[in-house]
Amino acid sequence: MQARTLAAALATMLLAAGCTTTGAGSAPQEGADGPAELLFWNTGSDEQAAAMQAAADRYRELHPDVTIKVQAIAWDDGHAKVLTAATSRSGPDIISGGLSWGIEFGELGGMIDLNRYDVSQARQQTRPELWNSITSPGGAVYGIPMDMTLYVFYYRPDLLQKAGVSTPPATWAELFTAVDKLKASGVPTPLVEEWGTFEWLPWFNYLKQAGGSLYSDDCTQVTINSEQAVLATTTWADQYRRYGVPKATVDVGAGLAKGEYAMAIGASYLAGGFDSGQPALKGKWQTAPLPTGPAGAGSFVGGKIVGAMSYTKYPQAAADFVKWLYTDEAVEILQREVFTRGGELYISPRPELLAKANASDNLKQTLQTTLDSVTGPPNCKGWETSGAEVSKRLQAVVNDDADPRTVLAEAAAVMQGNLG
């Protein structure tokens, strides 16, 4: 997250120096003649890149004049690398990355507005909450969703029953009551968070469940300092201050298998590796939607975008491949390869294909229910830079016993400054 902040600062300096363009992205170059050779930087693991390469190889069988080489870049420095490519206009032809990357790099002139290549079918097939997150306030689409990641409530039914908890907690009150009962029954760490852990991502779930938001729908006002946000922040912080949720990243599968954890709020992709990575856990875990707050259900939906860089010599070929990733065949390949190579669950941005995912009926039902109340990251100007600063202020509530209302006011000032 610090790298993203530094990267954004570098972008600001480059813009001030006139080193790149601004606005609705640069016009793509004219397509070069002859076969297209495309480099695809896929943010994530080597296994995920290998899965994407399998899809790219199938695409070449269908389109012999297009060769795509997929290269993995790490999340730790992926943002900085793509920023450098966007501003220097040199690097990959296609990239994948965080949902907000497309808007950020597109507004710097580094990515193609895919509306030029008609992504209307992809828009129709994508959950509107997800599509809204990747669409700029001006309507540009610099990258389309490549996958989805949802928050899931994982739990050990046997440990809950032993503690006198007959069903997975459905509300905040039930969740923290269950934590107390599990602790009394001997479970060392009843509840853990994974995916974002000690930053704004899991806090965002509480924000939505409390009825709050980061910005107004039209991105003209910052709303993080609302009364709903104060309640959400206090409740989120109490996880760590009163109920022993670890602040460090944890191995959810191993902890559940050993009985060290009984409940976990984590990313949907974790489920793909539980049974193969933790044989002792097989048949002992279940899932449910996240507990609800005073405003009802609500959770964050994330994932990656995939888009074409504005300097590519082959904009049409790059855009055609990006759109092909939405086909039934491409989704089937990615579902299979991501699961077999990396032990992770791949969820297509096309929700109707969830039924074909490598998941149990229980997990599919949880994911289907969760989809009805998801919200993606904001598409408002400056959020990519603001996110890290918001996390720092939220952490101060836990680490320094800072007043939630005060830190949210500080966060609002930062966000307003970046909003312009």
Side-chain angles (χ1 to χ4, degrees), residues 322-336:
V322 167
K323 293 194 295 181
W324 178 79
L325 291 174
Y326 262 66
T327 64
D328 289 358
E329 183 176 20
V331 171
E332 182 180 350
I333 292 170
L334 291 172
Q335 285 177 333
R336 180 184 68 246

Side-chain angles (χ1 to χ4, degrees), residues 23 58 68 93 104 116 118 164 180 260 278 323 360 390 420:
R58 173 54 181 159
I68 302 169
D93 302 276
E104 180 186 4
R116 295 171 178 146
D118 189 10
D180 287 338
E260 295 175 353
Q278 302 292 335
K323 293 194 295 181
S360 66
V390 170

Side-chain angles (χ1 to χ4, degrees), residues 64-220:
D65 287 342
V66 181
T67 301
I68 302 169
K69 180 181 179 182
V70 183
Q71 177 181 329
I73 61 172
W75 281 106
D76 288 346
D77 60 356
H79 183 273
K81 286 183 175 179
V82 178
L83 175 64
T84 299
T87 53
S88 67
R89 302 186 62 77
S90 175
D93 302 276
I94 302 170
I95 64 101
S96 72
L99 287 181
S100 58
W101 290 16
I103 295 174
E104 180 186 4
F105 299 134
E107 295 297 294
L108 290 175
M111 298 187 72
I112 295 172
D113 182 357
L114 293 171
N115 284 317
R116 295 171 178 146
Y117 298 92
D118 189 10
V119 290
S120 58
Q121 183 174 356
R123 180 174 63 250
Q124 293 168 7
Q125 293 174 313
T126 304
R127 290 283 306 195
E129 301 88 352
L130 193 60
W131 193 266
N132 290 343
S133 291
I134 56 88
T135 304
S136 78
V141 177
Y142 301 108
I144 62 176
M146 192 175 86
D147 57 20
M148 287 194 298
T149 302
L150 306 175
Y151 268 100
V152 174
F153 186 83
Y154 300 99
Y155 67 99
R156 285 274 304 266
D158 57 332
L159 296 181
L160 265 64
Q161 291 171 6
K162 180 181 177 182
V165 180
S166 57
T167 59
T171 65
W172 290 358
E174 291 180 8
L175 174 65
F176 296 124
T177 296
V179 169
D180 287 338
K181 290 183 176 181
L182 286 159
K183 190 73 173 181
S185 72
V187 177
T189 307
L191 175 66
V192 298
E193 289 262 16
E194 198 285 338
W195 188 26
T197 311
F198 192 42
E199 55 175 272
W200 73 268
L201 278 176
W203 166 86
F204 187 83
N205 296 327
Y206 284 97
L207 179 67
K208 299 309 297 183
Q209 293 156 14
S213 60
L214 294 168
Y215 301 89
S216 60
D217 290 343
D218 61 1
C219 291
T220 60

Side-chain angles (χ1 to χ4, degrees), residues 154-159 187-190 192 250-264 273-286:
Y154 300 99
Y155 67 99
R156 285 274 304 266
D158 57 332
L159 296 181
V187 177
T189 307
V192 298
V250 299
D251 186 331
V252 172
L256 288 173
K258 296 175 183 177
E260 295 175 353
Y261 316 146
M263 304 180 295
F274 279 173
D275 290 348
S276 59
Q278 302 292 335
L281 186 58
K282 190 171 183 178
K284 294 183 178 180
W285 62 280
Q286 290 285 305

